[in-house]
Amino acid sequence: MHPPSDPPPSPQPSLPSRLTQSSDNWGPFTNRVAFETADLLYRKEQMSAGNINTLLELWQASMRDGDTAPFKDSVHLYRSIDSIPLGSIGWQSFNAHFPGHDPMLGSVSDDEDSAEPSWMRATFEVWFRDVREIAKAILRSAEFTAAIDYGPYRILQDGEREYGDLMSADWAWRQADIISKYDNSEGAAFVPIILGSDKTTVSIATGQNEYYPLYASIGNITNVARRAHGGGVVLAGFLAIPKTRKKHENDAGFRKFRRQLFHASLSRILQSLKEHMTSPEVVLCGDGYHRKIVYGLGPYIADYPEQTLLTCVVQGWCPVCTANKLDLDRAPSELRSQEQTELLVSTLQLGEVWDIYGIVGDVIPFTNDFPRADIHELIAPDILHQLIKGTFKDHLVEWVGDYLVAQHGKALAVSIITDIDRRIAVVPPFSGLRRFPEGRGFKQWTGNDSKALMKVYIPAIQGHLPRQVVVAVRSFLDACYIVRRRTHTPRTVASYASSLRHFHENREVFRTPGVRPEGFSLPRQHSLMHYEDRIYDFGAPIGLCSSITESKHITAVKEPWRRSSRFNALGQMLLTNQRLDKLTACRTDFEARRMLDAHSPMGLAPELSCRGETKSPRRVGALGSYLACPELPKLLGRFLASQLQVSPPHIADRERIRVFPSARADFYDPCDARSDMEGRRHERIRATRKWRGTAPRYDCVFVNREPSLVGLRGMEVARVRVFFDFKYKAASYPCALVHWFQRMGEAPDEETGMWMARPLYHDDGAQFRSVIHLDTIVRAAHLVGVAAQRYILDDEFEYTSLDRFDVFYVNKYVDYHAFDLLHEWSV
């Protein structure tokens, strides 16, 4: 296997067509306007055919003699999209039925007089794309030229090995060692196929319309590229969902048939890969080189029910190890393997392997049909359902409520929970933070709701619950945030293990009547014990989380369904997805040929917003009065003295100044779904008297003081009162007037794990303020008031919170970048 930086030793290849086409060839569109119009109307706005026709008619009516609109009508637009030669992976289908049923008889509806239930006589249709062609399309896409590795690699950072993308971890190396023994494998690139599947409902109101999408990616692209909303994850098929009357749903025969149909369908869909899992094929890649490719089945992204279906394991058991379902809260047992399963099935009765080992012995996993594939080894960790939705939302949040009832009785527990909701509601606003104006008492929870609650939950419960409960929640959150890192080293894995151990020790507080007297034999919590091994095998779990496939549900299933006529919707959804893929591939091609404007690169220093405030004073003295800061001219003089290393110059009240309502901070945060393909994202820091026309908002920031020190030891916390710039001797200075906070103590609070800070005042009660350069701002900081045992008053709101509390937590859980900045990494 060749390292990723080395091209394979082959003759000079022919270049991809995009590199040889001219930079003004917009085919199949007539020009840029035609392409941008098609992309806007079909992909971005998802406009109906009728509205497209109306728009084009109006467009044509406004044209001068001889000029025409880019398209005649919607049919013309659709045909142009359909004629795009890129991104064209056609749909195929096959039918499946219960053994013994003649498909020529067709599908029969269920009825009371029939001797057989309808599922035995039905024909099930499965639609799919060639997964091998999907892999080749990703390999040759210009979108991933700079975000792809063709072989395993190792990175050492400060003497420790880093585990990040899939190809940096141990599993890829083990696969490469096996492949190296195949004939003609010298110089071949290994391409693992990542799969993911999960049922999704598109409409509850119209009768539980369910679809069963299958997604495919390759393990060679980076985790950031796979998580970005691009072409790194592709819709590969729609699996069948057998249904029957309620009285037949629990029939052993029906359950067995569903499992067999699932595995047989996956085996059929993946057949095109099989030949080239042992014998390389030559593929043109995005960098212009032809490479020998050997495919393999890689990690499978799935939630717990799907994992048990994949591994043919009984619900309630672990799909990875043989731990007994009644004793999952102990350390992991022996790892499962297909070899072990086959031995048990051949030795014991089906009932025995079911009861003793949790094995569904009469179904064969699809991985048995392919080389180097063991489904138990390929189950990916699932942060969304195992940690965020499972352990946090379904377990800890519920246990906290049950614990309060058990300790205080129903009436007082309701009062405490109401105040917890009020604390959550008055949390200060922050970029990207979902608000809970009525607390968290709502029925329909999403993954994003659970993530948002995690960010503010500890300050909300602290003081209302015993220290051990708070430490249990904090330890779990630490483990959850650590595991979501972009890269791991043995040090971070050890830190995760330490947090998990503290969680296990402190969750014992819930082993009490009314909460969890039976203990913690819970599959999703048990799965946390396997994360260490999975990190070493597959790299950072963030690149294999089911949140990737769940977000894909929106663009690949739900939106296409809404665009359909609802009648025989699947065929329309397939066509919509094919057209979307073509437009995406076309845009990628045009960008690679530099025919479209490139995105402006983000810097890493904060910058002021584009438009200044029109109602603020534009003279230094007047602005000082406006802000109740008469010392502003002196503060400006001190600022210039520190910048220019001179004595403080005199700043006249008449000096011009320009005020801005916000500044943008850019930073590297690949763990966040809002980041771009390079892992960078930006946030807005606000300082305005009227946020969204209702109330003032003055955000807090981290200010860099001593870069050599780690975390808050090298930074200060301040609240921005105003952003502005001014000129002095022809030089422009972007600045902020800030009110300083003082860090409390030399370490974070032991109970909550967060630093604490309080606002600084002079002896006369005036705020301790300074003018700082915008470049010293690292990013926004989120401060949450320490309520302790105080109840929140009715006249307290999120926009008054920073003024009503005396002491604050510096919230490290507000996002993953803040956690990395502030977390104490000692193990």
Side-chain angles (χ1 to χ4, degrees), residues 406-478:
Q407 296 295 313
H408 302 291
K410 183 75 172 177
L412 182 54
V414 169
S415 174
I416 294 173
I417 291 171
T418 300
D419 188 63
I420 290 173
D421 286 346
R422 284 285 298 134
R423 292 182 180 189
I424 294 170
V426 302
V427 163
F430 189 81
S431 177
L433 179 64
R434 185 205 190 286
R435 286 196 59 244
F436 296 89
E438 304 299 329
R440 26 92 275 158
F442 49 90
K443 294 180 180 179
Q444 288 293 99
W445 279 78
T446 67
N448 287 334
D449 294 329
S450 300
K451 292 175 188 176
L453 184 60
M454 292 171 78
K455 299 176 180 182
V456 297
Y457 194 60
I458 289 181
I461 65 173
Q462 194 277 331
H464 279 315
L465 285 128
R467 175 189 175 91
Q468 190 175 357
V469 173
V470 177
V471 172
V473 176
R474 185 257 292 175
S475 299
F476 168 74
L477 290 186
D478 284 349

Side-chain angles (χ1 to χ4, degrees), residues 187-257:
F190 171 48
V191 176
I193 305 298
I194 296 174
L195 299 170
S197 59
D198 181 31
K199 294 188 188 76
T200 184
T201 302
V202 293
S203 175
I204 297 176
T206 56
Q208 292 284 0
N209 287 297
E210 277 190 311
Y211 290 94
Y212 204 162
L214 173 70
Y215 302 103
S217 181
I218 62 173
N220 308 81
I221 62 175
T222 63
N223 290 341
V224 173
R226 191 175 304 111
R227 288 176 54 82
H229 301 288
V233 179
V234 179
L235 178 66
F238 282 97
L239 303 174
I241 306 178
K243 301 218 171 160
T244 189
R245 282 180 177 269
K246 197 168 188 66
K247 65 179 182 179
H248 298 305
E249 284 182 352
N250 292 320
D251 288 353
F254 178 62
R255 295 202 307 268
K256 177 180 177 180
F257 174 71

Side-chain angles (χ1 to χ4, degrees), residues 171 193 195 262-268 270-271 274 277 296-300 309-312 337-339 341-342 363-379:
W171 176 83
I193 305 298
L195 299 170
F262 174 80
H263 285 279
S265 298
L266 287 178
S267 180
R268 170 69 178 82
L270 299 170
Q271 277 302 307
K274 190 169 184 178
M277 288 181 171
L297 295 186
Y300 203 113
L309 175 62
L310 284 159
T311 55
C312 302
S337 69
Q338 195 56 40
E339 182 180 5
T341 297
E342 291 171 357
V363 178
I364 300 174
F366 75 96
T367 48
N368 275 28
D369 295 340
F370 300 94
R372 307 188 317 277
D374 184 332
I375 189 58
H376 301 291
E377 183 187 34
L378 298 178
I379 293 298

Side-chain angles (χ1 to χ4, degrees), residues 84-398:
I84 297 174
L86 303 172
S88 182
I89 303 174
W91 288 95
Q92 308 173 49
S93 69
F94 60 86
N95 294 329
H97 58 87
F98 183 73
H101 166 59
D102 184 357
M104 297 301 293
L105 297 177
S107 183
V108 182
S109 61
D110 213 347
D111 60 78
E112 297 294 336
D113 299 328
S114 174
E116 296 178 331
S118 62
W119 63 268
M120 286 188 177
R121 293 168 287 136
T123 298
F124 301 98
E125 191 173 39
V126 177
W127 285 89
F128 71 100
R129 287 159 152 169
D130 189 327
V131 175
R132 182 164 137 256
E133 291 300 321
I134 290 175
K136 289 161 68 174
I138 297 174
L139 285 168
R140 65 172 172 262
S141 173
E143 182 181 358
F144 306 112
T145 301
I148 192 167
D149 298 293
Y150 295 102
Y153 63 92
R154 290 188 177 95
I155 291 179
L156 294 179
Q157 184 70 31
D158 297 328
E160 285 194 305
R161 182 175 169 188
E162 280 193 353
Y163 297 83
D165 301 322
L166 179 65
M167 303 305 282
S168 71
D170 293 340
W171 176 83
W173 280 98
R174 294 198 299 268
Q175 291 283 303
D177 288 341
I178 298 171
I179 292 170
S180 67
K181 297 179 174 63
Y182 294 161
D183 293 338
N184 196 31
S185 65
E186 183 181 358
F190 171 48
V191 176
I193 305 298
I194 296 174
L195 299 170
S197 59
D198 181 31
K199 294 188 188 76
T200 184
T201 302
V202 293
S203 175
I204 297 176
T206 56
Q208 292 284 0
N209 287 297
E210 277 190 311
Y211 290 94
Y212 204 162
L214 173 70
Y215 302 103
S217 181
I218 62 173
N220 308 81
I221 62 175
T222 63
N223 290 341
V224 173
R226 191 175 304 111
R227 288 176 54 82
H229 301 288
V233 179
V234 179
L235 178 66
F238 282 97
L239 303 174
I241 306 178
K243 301 218 171 160
T244 189
R245 282 180 177 269
K246 197 168 188 66
K247 65 179 182 179
H248 298 305
E249 284 182 352
N250 292 320
D251 288 353
F254 178 62
R255 295 202 307 268
K256 177 180 177 180
F257 174 71
R258 281 192 308 184
R259 295 187 185 105
Q260 289 177 328
L261 177 61
F262 174 80
H263 285 279
S265 298
L266 287 178
S267 180
R268 170 69 178 82
I269 290 169
L270 299 170
Q271 277 302 307
S272 65
L273 294 166
K274 190 169 184 178
E275 176 186 357
H276 299 295
M277 288 181 171
T278 54
S279 176
E281 75 165 331
V282 177
V283 175
L284 178 63
C285 299
D287 58 0
Y289 286 97
H290 286 84
R291 285 180 171 84
K292 291 193 297 185
I293 300 296
V294 175
Y295 301 102
L297 295 186
Y300 203 113
I301 300 172
D303 60 12
Y304 175 70
E306 196 85 353
Q307 289 178 359
T308 59
L309 175 62
L310 284 159
T311 55
C312 302
V313 166
V314 180
Q315 288 266 353
W317 291 74
C318 176
V320 176
C321 76
T322 58
N324 190 284
K325 71 173 183 178
L326 301 178
D327 196 19
L328 291 176
D329 55 343
R330 291 204 311 176
S333 300
E334 178 186 0
L335 295 180
R336 293 184 186 270
S337 69
Q338 195 56 40
E339 182 180 5
Q340 178 203 58
T341 297
E342 291 171 357
L343 177 62
L344 291 171
V345 170
S346 66
T347 305
L348 304 176
Q349 298 295 319
L350 289 179
E352 291 178 309
V353 294
W354 179 291
D355 293 334
I356 301 173
Y357 293 97
I359 295 172
V360 182
D362 55 356
V363 178
I364 300 174
F366 75 96
T367 48
N368 275 28
D369 295 340
F370 300 94
R372 307 188 317 277
D374 184 332
I375 189 58
H376 301 291
E377 183 187 34
L378 298 178
I379 293 298
D382 181 16
I383 293 173
L384 177 63
H385 292 94
Q386 292 168 346
L387 279 76
I388 297 170
K389 284 186 174 181
T391 304
F392 177 69
K393 193 269 287 184
D394 292 343
H395 298 163
L396 288 177
V397 174
E398 293 299 319

